[in-house]
């Protein structure tokens, strides 16, 4: 047998995330495991490598696991909302700031004014920080353009960023993120424009895989979301929803009824909403950093969701307003301390379950044939990641078999 192109050995354990049963069983570790890589894919997993590697990495007793999948981000944006953070520290709420003309609208003004090149340059360091935190796949949303041209520009920026970062980027159209200022008196007009003009171009040019809507008092109604997601689905765009974040709005039940791939946020989800997600198989995406940063407590009931049988994914939700952070390990730590997840469940939230949230069953797991996206840690166990609170124990990141960090 030819040598592997890359052989990783000397690990305390390799977490394959291929098991079934409890969260701990799902991690399916190989004690003192090694990974052989060829052609960007995993060629071999086990304890006694059959051949050497052309290149070898000694994990020096750290553990190895799948690259992280950050399934909900807004990393393409211009402008700064530090003033709003200060206002929240002084007692104003996220919704009060939005109602006074700040919030998403402020980022829309800055993003519309930025060139494609500026948006690329602004997004690059954010992606670099995600990479250093072990992220090898990230979803990125539009939603700060809110006119046809600017939404398309955001999605084209996401497409162009693919040539600049090793991270696999998955695009999501979020044209119903807030009512554009031009349509304040005619919100139906914007929904119609999105359905008639924007969605067909996005689908034709394959600019997004998902179609997302923010269902909230300050944003869109159930009926508007339903119309947009139906139209998107007919064009091949998979539905997902921001729901039950700031106010309880029955959005989880809507996500379940529409067969959405994910229901995101869920701080205010009801018992009926939890049961509906479990029945529909919709993945719950929790964004604990934004619950903290936007001061939008309570934290989503992660424990109750897991206990009801819902697949729970985690995300950084990196954006300028509600979660100005690329810190995967802060999200993981909060998910344990505040959402009630165990360390194993939190780790799955950014690996296997994060991949499930993007309908990418090959990712977030390590098995022969799967993409060689993996992380080598300084820590001996996944338990150290949420425990070493908000700190980064990543030693190396490998993407498609190449060492990228
Ligand atoms: O996911 N909830 C809506 N959208 C973002 C916040 C965007 C912003 O404030 O700029 C979120 O939290």
């Amino acid at each position: 047998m030819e040598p592997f192109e890359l052989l990783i050995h000397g690990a305390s354990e390799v977490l394959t995330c291929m098991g079934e049963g409890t969260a701990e069983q799902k991690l399916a570790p190989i004690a003192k495991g090694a990974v052989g890589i060829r052609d960007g894919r995993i060629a071999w997993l086990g304890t006694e490598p059959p051949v050497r590697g052309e290149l070898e990495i000694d994990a020096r007793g750290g553990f190895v696991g799948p690259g992280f999948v950050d399934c909900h981000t807004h990393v393409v944006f211009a402008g700064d909302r530090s003033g709003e953070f200060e206002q929240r520290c002084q007692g104003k709420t996220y919704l009060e700031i939005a109602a006074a003309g700040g919030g998403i609208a402020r980022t829309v003004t800055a993003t519309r004014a930025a060139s494609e090149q500026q948006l690329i340059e602004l997004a690059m360091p954010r992606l670099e920080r995600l990479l250093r935190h072990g992220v090898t796949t990230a979803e990125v949303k539009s939603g700060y353009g809110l006119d046809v041209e600017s939404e398309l520009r955001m999605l084209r920026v996401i497409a162009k960023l693919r040539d600049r970062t090793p991270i696999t980027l998955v695009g999501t159209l979020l044209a119903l993120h807030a009512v554009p200022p031009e349509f304040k008196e005619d919100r139906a007009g914007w929904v119609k424009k999105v359905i008639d003009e924007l969605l067909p171009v996005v689908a034709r040019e394959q600019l997004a895989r998902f179609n997302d809507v923010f269902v909230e008092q300050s944003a869109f109604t159930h009926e508007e979301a339903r119309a947009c997601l139906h139209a998107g689905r007919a064009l091949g765009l998979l539905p997902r929803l921001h729901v039950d974040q700031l106010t309880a709005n029955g959005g989880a039940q809507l996500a379940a009824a529409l067969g959405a791939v994910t229901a995101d946020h869920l701080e205010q989800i009801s018992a009926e909403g939890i049961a509906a997600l479990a029945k529909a198989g919709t993945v719950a995406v929790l964004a604990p950093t934004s619950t903290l940063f936007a001061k939008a407590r309570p934290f989503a009931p992660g424990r109750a969701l897991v206990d009801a049988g819902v697949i729970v994914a985690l995300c950084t939700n990196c954006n300028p307003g509600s979660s100005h952070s690329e810190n995967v390990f802060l999200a993981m730590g909060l998910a344990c301390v505040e959402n009630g997840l165990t360390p194993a469940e939190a780790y799955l939230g950014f690996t296997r379950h994060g991949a499930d949230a993007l309908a990418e069953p090959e990712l977030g797991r390590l098995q022969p044939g799967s993409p060689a996206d993996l992380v080598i840690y300084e820590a001996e166990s996944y338990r150290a990641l949420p425990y070493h609170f908000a700190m980064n124990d990543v030693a190396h990141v490998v993407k498609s078999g190449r060492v990228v960090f």
Side-chain angles (χ1 to χ4, degrees):
M1 197 196 270
E2 298 273 290
F4 296 121
E5 283 163 19
L6 175 63
L7 176 69
I8 298 163
H9 61 88
S12 58
E13 57 183 3
V14 175
L15 299 187
T16 64
C17 297
M18 286 297 297
E20 292 309 328
T22 63
E24 284 75 12
Q25 288 167 335
K26 276 186 171 178
L27 296 179
I30 302 174
K32 303 217 176 303
V35 187
I37 293 165
R38 269 197 206 102
D39 297 327
R41 296 202 167 244
I42 294 178
W44 174 90
L45 279 166
T47 48
E48 300 291 336
V51 287
R52 303 293 304 255
E54 285 163 14
L55 180 69
E56 297 194 356
I57 298 178
D58 182 352
R60 295 168 187 258
F63 83 98
V64 172
F68 288 139
V69 179
D70 190 354
C71 64
H72 177 147
T73 85
H74 307 250
V75 291
V76 173
F77 65 86
D80 164 273
R81 304 217 327 249
S82 54
E84 293 185 3
F85 179 72
E86 201 166 348
Q87 280 179 294
R88 277 202 301 282
C89 295
Q90 290 161 348
K92 285 249 182 308
T93 68
Y94 182 89
L95 280 176
E96 282 166 354
I97 294 166
I104 293 167
R106 191 182 305 275
T107 302
V108 169
T109 306
T111 303
R112 284 181 180 176
S115 67
E116 202 169 282
Q117 189 54 31
Q118 283 168 327
L119 290 175
I120 289 173
E121 278 162 22
L122 287 164
M124 278 304 294
R126 297 173 193 137
L127 292 170
E128 184 57 38
R129 283 189 286 272
L130 285 176
L131 186 70
R132 280 191 255 134
H133 282 83
V135 173
T136 51
T137 300
E139 184 259 20
V140 187
K141 299 176 196 295
S142 70
Y144 291 125
L146 302 191
D147 60 40
V148 170
E149 189 198 322
S150 309
E151 283 294 300
L152 289 175
R153 192 149 51 90
M154 285 193 73
L155 293 174
R156 289 185 180 125
V157 164
I158 296 166
K160 290 196 172 158
L161 281 163
R162 292 196 179 106
D163 297 332
R164 309 271 199 115
T165 173
I167 300 177
T168 298
L169 301 180
V170 177
T172 294
L173 176 70
L174 180 58
L176 300 194
H177 194 197
V179 180
E182 301 79 7
F183 286 87
K184 275 279 177 272
E185 306 306 322
D186 177 25
R187 34 187 311 133
W190 174 237
V191 177
K192 186 168 171 1
K193 219 174 174 45
V194 170
I195 292 172
D196 294 347
E197 296 178 33
L198 188 50
L199 281 171
V201 184
V202 171
R204 194 171 59 240
E205 295 188 20
Q206 298 188 337
L207 287 170
R209 175 129 197 263
F210 292 94
N211 185 24
D212 196 347
V213 177
F214 185 19
V215 175
E216 186 54 67
Q217 259 174 27
S218 57
F220 293 90
T221 65
H222 282 216
E223 291 64 40
E224 290 160 342
R226 199 184 289 274
C228 180
L229 294 192
H230 271 310
R233 193 198 282 276
L235 294 166
L237 293 165
L238 300 176
R240 55 188 300 184
L241 282 173
H242 287 59
V243 284
D244 292 322
Q245 181 183 9
L246 304 162
T247 56
N249 50 44
Q253 291 93 311
L254 177 69
L258 293 176
V261 179
T262 68
D264 301 47
H265 288 291
L266 304 175
E267 281 84 344
Q268 307 282 347
I269 191 173
S270 62
E272 297 74 45
I274 294 174
L277 294 186
K279 190 151 176 250
T282 297
V283 177
V285 177
L286 309 188
T289 320
S290 53
T291 318
L292 183 77
F293 188 85
K295 299 179 86 176
R297 286 162 195 259
F299 282 81
R303 180 78 264 131
L305 284 157
V306 173
D307 289 346
V310 179
I311 301 280
V312 174
L314 297 174
C315 66
T316 62
N317 188 18
C318 179
N319 76 73
S322 70
S323 178
H324 195 224
S325 173
E326 296 86 352
N327 193 335
V328 168
F329 302 109
L330 172 61
M332 237 185 234
L334 286 172
C336 293
V337 175
E338 297 284 2
N339 298 104
L341 300 194
T342 64
E345 288 161 351
Y347 183 77
L348 287 169
F350 270 110
T351 52
R352 173 166 161 172
H353 295 167
D356 292 344
L358 294 185
E360 291 285 359
E362 266 213 311
L363 301 180
R365 296 145 167 96
L366 301 180
Q367 61 175 324
S370 71
D373 295 358
L374 38 91
V375 184
I376 302 159
Y377 296 88
E378 284 167 14
E380 234 176 90
S381 160
Y382 70 88
R383 293 183 181 88
L385 304 185
Y387 169 61
H388 198 186
F389 203 71
M391 300 307 289
N392 185 349
D393 285 335
V394 169
H396 301 286
V397 180
V398 174
K399 174 69 188 179
S400 303
R402 218 163 47 81
V403 181
V404 289
F405 170 69

